[in-house]
Amino acid sequence: MPRKTITIIAAIATAASLSVALPAVAADALPQDQSVKNVVLVHGAFADGSGWKGVYDNLTKRGYRVTIVQNPLTSLADDVAATRRALERQDGPVILVGHSWGGTVITEAGVDEKVKGLIYVSALSPDAGETTAQQYEGFAPASEFVIETTKDGFGYVSPAKFKSGFAHDVSDADVAFMRDAQVPINIAAFGTKLQNAAWRTKPSWAVIATEDKAFDQAMLIHMAERINAKITKVSASHALFMTQPAVIADTIDQAAKSVPGKTK
């Protein structure tokens, strides 16, 4: 074998051995004395958990363990059960985060003793004994957010209104995919009364999209103030869980660092 060929093969072998020996890029380590290192993310209606990818990437890079719930959106009870399953799998205290309808879910499921803080991302926050539908009473209708209901009672965002009502700050290509990949919600879920309101006993934060067309802005502010949430506003559409991952991740990080982490 020619000397030149042997030299090239040796160089490749050396490079390969170095690549194996080099450690992978590690996530940033959280402070040793920080108790809350787990985050559970709950998506809203018409979407699935993949929309949290940016928040997931941001938080895992910081060292958090992040779990994303996939809501079936078939009933409040089913979505709460899915969230409780995720909470059961956590190895310690948790910050529980919900977007839109996911806010109703975390309000019910968040009474779990592992949950140390709640974050509402342009999200609903009924009280115990209230329904989600009641939260809209007295506020301006969301004219750009049009829901079409199937014969069996499931709702989709109107394709013609999806960009303007749900995600006007998302690229046309991504909006098209979101529109065509919608997960419909059983509209009856909005009429289910909550048994618990975790925000009554857990500290809460709210990230509000100032260009949200799914809710009247006054409604978002009213809900956040009623639960005594620490409010952060950001210029974004209802799809802020996708478009504002840094703002949401920063809020989660602040919450995790500020709450006590002991469980019973």
Side-chain angles (χ1 to χ4, degrees), residues 76-233:
L76 175 59
D78 289 347
D79 290 355
V80 169
T83 300
R84 285 175 175 159
R85 281 192 292 271
L87 292 172
E88 287 172 4
R89 294 174 61 82
Q90 305 307 304
D91 61 3
V94 178
I95 295 297
L96 185 58
V97 185
H99 170 250
S100 194
W101 161 256
T104 294
V105 179
I106 70 170
T107 297
E108 185 68 65
V111 292
D112 187 293
E113 67 174 20
K114 288 182 181 178
V115 176
K116 300 305 173 185
L118 305 163
I119 298 181
Y120 292 82
V121 180
S122 271
L124 295 147
S125 53
D127 200 352
E130 293 181 346
T131 69
T132 299
Q134 284 178 269
Q135 308 314 299
Y136 295 82
E137 295 175 359
F139 297 100
S143 59
E144 291 293 318
F145 196 79
V146 178
I147 297 175
E148 299 175 349
T149 307
T150 61
K151 291 180 181 179
D152 62 348
F154 280 74
Y156 291 84
V157 178
S158 167
K161 290 287 189 178
F162 194 92
K163 185 174 178 70
S164 62
F166 196 110
H168 68 261
D169 52 354
V170 176
S171 71
D172 288 345
D174 287 342
V175 163
F177 181 80
M178 292 168 65
R179 177 197 66 212
D180 296 339
Q182 287 188 66
V183 184
I185 186 169
N186 185 351
I187 297 299
F190 289 90
T192 303
K193 288 184 179 180
L194 275 70
Q195 297 180 357
N196 299 289
W199 50 261
R200 286 200 167 273
T201 57
K202 309 285 176 83
S204 300
W205 287 255
V207 182
I208 294 175
T210 59
E211 299 163 30
D212 196 321
K213 302 300 182 184
F215 301 117
D216 180 6
Q217 196 67 198
M219 175 182 167
L220 287 170
I221 297 297
H222 168 76
M223 290 189 296
E225 289 181 343
R226 183 173 76 153
I227 68 175
N228 197 31
K230 300 173 183 67
I231 299 173
T232 297
K233 295 182 180 180

Side-chain angles (χ1 to χ4, degrees), residues 39-63:
V39 178
V40 173
L41 305 174
V42 183
H43 67 82
F46 320 112
D48 67 17
S50 64
W52 289 115
K53 180 68 163 56
V55 176
Y56 173 91
D57 288 345
N58 189 306
L59 290 173
T60 54
K61 186 176 184 296
R62 301 186 196 210

